[in-house]
Amino acid sequence: MQTAKVWTSYPTGLKTPCLLGEDRDYYHCRLAEDSPRLFKTEFEQLDVICGSSDSSAAHESLRIEALDTVWTSINAYTWDQFAINLEALQMILTFHQVFAPFLDCVHSFGIKTSEADESWNGYRRSIRVEAERQCASYEFCYTLRYVIRNKRSSGPAWSVRRTAVYQQYQFEKRISKWILLQPPANSQRRLSEAQAQKKNGEEEHPMRDQVVLLYSTATFWGEYIMDLRKDLEKLNDKACFSKVGKPGSDHYATTFADSQRTQNIRQRLLRTLTFLDAGLEIAKGCVTHCRELELFEGNTSSQAVFSELEAYSSQMQSHRSMVSNLLEHSRGTMELLFKILEYRNSESFSRGATALHKDVELLRDVALQSKQESKVMTKLAEQNRSDTRSLKSLSVLGTLYLPVTFLATIFSSNLIELRPIGDAQKDSHLALASDFWLFVVVAVPLIVLTLSYTYWLERRRV
């Protein structure tokens, strides 16, 4: 059993020779810095499958050495932390002397906020050769993308996930050590079936299981691409059959959101193209690896692996051709949608300009009418001014004659009497009537009342 100090220093404490370009100190520091994003603080789950029929041996963790072993870690979801802690992974990697480049696969997992976060696509391999030019062991690892249907009630029906695969094969013992990170559901089942065949004495090429895993990640690519094609065809129908300039009941309501959906499909197609290219590159790496093994081992069963890898590459190349065609198709759809939107925007602008022109003409007519009405009002104002001057003149004349009228009214009334002087009948003089005081008593209150009422009316207006 390794001591704690050994595995905590992984990969600097590895006993295997260091590969060219392999900076183990860098890998060790990077793993320590990135561990909060990659691992949980507590150990939760780690599945292990062994090539033994003894189920108790499958749970003795690091004591499993002489059997084919598959370590599997599955996250709760794609961008989650591993279900194991850092120490558990270091123990496994140290015990099996896993080469440091596998950590590149490990760092492509963990908590992320977007696809643009750090990821690594590709493969790394290493062959250890003994002095007699015989292979002692080899290591092979890679990351690969696959798609599965999700159970979301809204949004895309497919999820793109990542898996990491590591294999260490020992030629003397004819056993493999596997580490699978976030594998598809059928990968573990297929590896279990392969282990059962080996237990029954059916010897196969050590790289055959790699082909099994490659096929397990390629299961749903065809369905995924066909669903993208259906989504693109719906948008293409809008682009090809929208009636430009002839709106009707069967008119497609093309909007900017359609262009956004098309761009989203294009982005998914571009990512799919990248993932398929990565699968093809890994298949080429498997072929190269098998040919090098033949040089050392002379293994005659490689031809079957070559045939299966060729079939896998042909399938992936077929998917790639379909994706390339869809990308070209989507570009034409995108351009056509933009032209339709541009034409309709131009049409709307033209209609708006026409309506604006009509409004300007209407405002001009209103302005002319207002100008004519202004002239009429000016004439009326001049006439009113003339009438005001006439009324003012009449008022002045009335004011001038008012005292005379008042005096004439007084002298012509019974309030002033002509009385004779003494007993003479010829001489007389003017005198107030005996009831003149009644006139004063009645007139003064009426004048006061009138002035008060006028003052009250003025105050009320204010």
Side-chain angles (χ1 to χ4, degrees), residues 32-174:
E33 292 173 358
D34 208 20
S35 60
R37 185 182 66 86
L38 295 171
F39 303 100
K40 297 182 182 295
T41 55
E42 299 294 334
F43 182 94
E44 291 185 2
Q45 182 181 1
L46 179 65
D47 298 328
V48 57
I49 304 171
C50 299
S52 171
S53 59
D54 184 5
S55 60
S56 62
H59 300 284
E60 292 181 359
S61 66
L62 299 180
R63 301 190 180 191
I64 304 168
E65 185 175 5
L67 303 172
D68 285 351
T69 309
V70 181
W71 301 89
T72 306
S73 176
I74 300 178
N75 304 347
Y77 49 91
T78 306
W79 291 353
D80 191 17
Q81 296 168 309
F82 288 115
I84 60 175
N85 56 15
L86 174 61
E87 184 178 3
L89 181 67
Q90 288 177 320
M91 291 172 65
I92 295 171
L93 299 182
T94 302
F95 182 79
H96 293 300
Q97 293 293 293
V98 176
F99 66 169
F102 177 63
L103 291 179
D104 289 328
C105 300
V106 174
H107 286 289
S108 63
F109 290 86
I111 298 174
K112 297 181 181 180
T113 57
S114 69
E115 284 285 352
D117 288 347
E118 179 185 10
S119 62
W120 183 80
N121 293 319
Y123 70 92
R124 293 293 299 271
R125 63 189 184 91
S126 171
I127 300 177
R128 285 202 303 135
V129 182
E130 295 178 344
E132 294 81 6
R133 289 187 57 79
Q134 290 185 348
C135 288
S137 64
Y138 72 76
E139 294 177 272
F140 197 96
C141 74
Y142 55 85
T143 61
L144 200 58
R145 298 298 187 96
Y146 63 96
V147 289
I148 61 169
R149 287 190 180 274
N150 55 48
K151 299 179 181 179
R152 298 174 188 166
S153 57
S154 61
W158 294 90
S159 293
V160 179
R161 295 188 177 177
R162 177 192 302 273
T163 184
V165 177
Y166 169 84
Q167 181 194 18
Q168 180 188 112
Y169 185 77
Q170 300 175 12
F171 285 93
E172 182 180 356
K173 299 178 181 179
R174 301 292 177 183

